[in-house]
């Protein structure tokens, strides 16, 4: 067995390679005393050891399982395991595979490997090697910033399991890397963006760039601000945000040829519709509460397809606007069904008036 300097059973005690290996290990981490100590023991555990460390310094966090060797016995044990693994001179790929380390981690420079990055580097084993190869920046300073940003992302995963999914980790790794290489500092925005993804998962798309995601997050913050303003307005006029408005003589709900119309009768209903459809219907709270407008959500099955606004017209009602998601033109079936619904409502009102 080949071990470190301080073990009484050390082999090759008087051989020059050990001193050279230790010096080269220290040179890998010139400003990190902790890493110098650990890497020095590993380099002196076998004459081949330093060659592997220089090729892939990020293998160390995998040997420690993402933890930090705090005590001398722990460091000695790690050096023994490493010495035993390199004894037969395996290929670097095979040595990395021994600790489930993906091959692309060899691109991570020694200056990016520090005690704080161990757990994050160890987490990279959960990312497909082909994806990881695209994520790791080339420059060491970018690698350090990328690992710090990924550490921030990993810290938020405990609050939302979706953030830890392979799809989300892949998106975060690639998006953060591209932003950093472009000269930006996305680490500062990780907390806010993950809050947005956790609270509004349906508004996020993994096809977006980092900047596109930030844009959607900003829209969401604006919606929240509008909701806050509407709540204050309603409170000042004696309304609660969840309070339901009476739509009589209009129906609370109706079905026309399979198209469902549901009255949005409260500030909460309108805010939910606006968030789901990504348009500004939430700003119509005041018109609904004062009776100026009546708003309906139009659905096909479980899918929202449009939002309709009605206003009084003469002794009946008329359609003011019908908007699809993101204010797009709604499907033809929704518009036809809406026209039939309003026609039926106006006929019913006229009939009731004659009867009266």
């Amino acid at each position: 067995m080949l071990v470190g300097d301080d073990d009484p059973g050390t082999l090759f005690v008087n051989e020059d390679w050990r001193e050279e290996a230790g010096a080269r290990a220290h040179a890998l981490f010139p400003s990190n005393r902790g890493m110098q100590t650990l890497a020095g023991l590993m380099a002196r555990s076998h004459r081949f050891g330093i060659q592997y460390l220089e090729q892939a310094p990020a293998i160390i966090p995998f040997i420690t399982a993402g933890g930090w060797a705090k005590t001398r016995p722990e460091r000695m044990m790690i050096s023994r395991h490493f010495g035993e693994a390199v004894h037969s001179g395996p290929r670097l790929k095979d040595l990395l595979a021994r600790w489930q380390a993906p091959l692309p981690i060899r691109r991570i420079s020694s200056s990016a490997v520090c005690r704080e990055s161990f757990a994050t580097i160890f987490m990279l084993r959960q990312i497909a090697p082909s994806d990881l190869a695209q994520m790791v920046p080339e420059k060491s300073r970018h690698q350090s910033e990328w690992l710090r940003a990924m550490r921030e992302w990993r810290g938020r995963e405990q609050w939302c399991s979706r953030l830890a999914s392979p799809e989300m980790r892949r998106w975060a790794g690639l998006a953060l890397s591209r932003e950093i290489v472009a000269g930006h500092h996305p680490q500062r925005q990780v907390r806010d963006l993950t809050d947005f993804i956790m609270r509004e998962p349906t508004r996020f798309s993994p096809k977006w760039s980092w900047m596109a995601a930030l844009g959607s997050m900003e829209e969401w913050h604006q919606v929240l601000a509008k909701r806050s303003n509407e709540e204050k307005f309603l409170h000042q006029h004696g309304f609660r945000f969840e309070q339901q408005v009476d739509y009589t003589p209009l129906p609370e709900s109706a079905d026309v040829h399979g198209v469902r119309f549901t009255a949005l009768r409260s500030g909460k209903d309108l805010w939910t519709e606006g968030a789901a459809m990504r348009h500004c219907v939430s700003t119509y709270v005041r018109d609904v509460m004062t009776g100026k407008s009546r708003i309906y959500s139009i659905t096909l099955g479980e899918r929202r397809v449009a939002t309709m606004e009605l206003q009084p017209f003469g002794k009946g009602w008329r359609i003011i606007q019908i908007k699809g998601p993101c204010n797009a033109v709604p499907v033809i079936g929704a518009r036809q069904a809406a026209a039939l619904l309003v026609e039926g409502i106006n006929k019913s009102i006229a009939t009731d008036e004659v009867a009266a």
Side-chain angles (χ1 to χ4, degrees), residues 36-340:
Q36 285 179 349
T37 300
L38 182 56
L41 286 173
M42 295 173 66
R44 291 190 291 269
S45 67
H46 193 278
R47 61 171 65 246
F48 299 148
I50 186 58
Q51 299 175 29
Y52 290 103
L53 291 179
E54 288 175 336
Q55 291 182 75
I59 192 177
I60 301 177
F62 287 90
I63 300 174
T64 66
W68 178 254
K70 298 180 180 179
T71 66
R72 181 177 182 75
E74 288 176 327
R75 292 192 290 269
M76 295 302 296
M77 181 181 65
I78 291 168
S79 68
R80 287 191 181 97
H81 289 171
F82 181 67
E84 292 170 354
V86 303
H87 178 70
S88 61
R91 294 182 303 171
L92 178 62
K93 180 179 180 180
D94 296 331
L95 184 66
L96 292 172
R98 179 187 177 100
W99 284 286
Q100 298 182 319
L103 187 60
I105 64 105
R106 64 181 177 177
R107 298 177 56 189
I108 299 176
S109 65
S110 59
S111 60
V113 180
C114 59
R115 179 175 182 172
E116 293 74 21
S117 66
F118 268 37
T120 303
I121 293 175
F122 185 62
M123 178 269 290
L124 299 180
R125 74 194 190 284
Q126 299 171 357
I127 298 176
S130 57
D131 293 330
L132 186 58
Q134 301 177 57
M135 295 178 192
V136 180
E138 291 185 12
K139 296 182 179 180
S140 58
R141 61 186 177 88
H142 289 159
Q143 292 173 4
S144 296
E145 187 172 356
W146 177 67
L147 288 172
R148 286 195 295 269
M150 289 296 289
R151 181 169 74 243
E152 184 73 22
W153 182 277
R154 188 176 59 84
R156 303 293 289 167
E157 290 178 354
Q158 61 181 316
W159 304 105
C160 178
S161 59
R162 187 188 180 198
L163 297 176
S165 69
E167 180 185 43
M168 289 305 302
R169 278 182 174 162
R170 178 182 183 277
W171 179 83
L174 290 170
L176 288 168
S177 178
R178 289 165 182 163
E179 284 298 294
I180 290 168
V181 171
H184 304 146
H185 304 283
Q187 180 188 354
R188 306 166 185 171
Q189 302 154 338
V190 169
R191 184 174 293 270
D192 289 340
L193 186 58
T194 50
D195 281 343
F196 163 63
I197 295 172
M198 286 189 284
R199 297 186 185 184
E200 295 291 328
T202 59
R203 293 172 67 92
F204 173 81
S205 171
K207 296 180 180 179
W208 288 343
S209 66
W210 186 264
M211 295 305 296
L214 292 181
S216 183
M217 180 188 72
E218 184 58 33
E219 290 179 6
W220 175 60
H221 282 306
Q222 291 174 2
V223 170
L224 291 180
K226 290 177 182 177
R227 170 172 175 159
S228 178
N229 290 335
E230 297 301 333
E231 287 189 33
K232 290 178 182 177
F233 171 83
L234 294 178
H235 180 72
Q236 291 171 355
H237 291 79
F239 292 100
R240 290 177 291 105
F241 196 65
E242 297 80 9
Q243 182 174 336
Q244 300 285 314
V245 175
D246 184 5
Y247 266 33
T248 304
L250 301 180
E252 293 183 12
S253 63
D255 284 288
V256 179
H257 299 318
V259 179
R260 181 78 172 173
F261 295 82
T262 303
L264 304 177
R265 300 167 52 212
S266 70
K268 182 178 180 181
D269 290 344
L270 292 165
W271 186 84
T272 301
E273 177 79 359
M277 297 289 284
R278 301 191 67 187
H279 54 42
C280 61
V281 73
S282 60
T283 62
Y284 286 70
V285 173
R286 305 180 189 193
D287 291 345
V288 169
M289 292 299 177
T290 57
K292 180 180 178 181
S293 294
R294 292 293 183 251
I295 309 292
Y296 282 82
S297 176
I298 305 176
T299 55
L300 282 173
E302 300 295 324
R303 183 167 60 96
R304 299 175 192 257
V305 295
T307 308
M308 175 178 71
E309 179 190 9
L310 303 180
Q311 285 186 359
F313 180 70
K315 295 182 179 181
W317 295 82
R318 66 177 177 179
I319 298 173
I320 299 301
Q321 57 181 327
I322 301 178
K323 298 292 185 181
C326 300
N327 287 321
V329 176
V331 296
I332 294 177
R335 287 182 290 175
Q336 293 176 338
L340 291 174

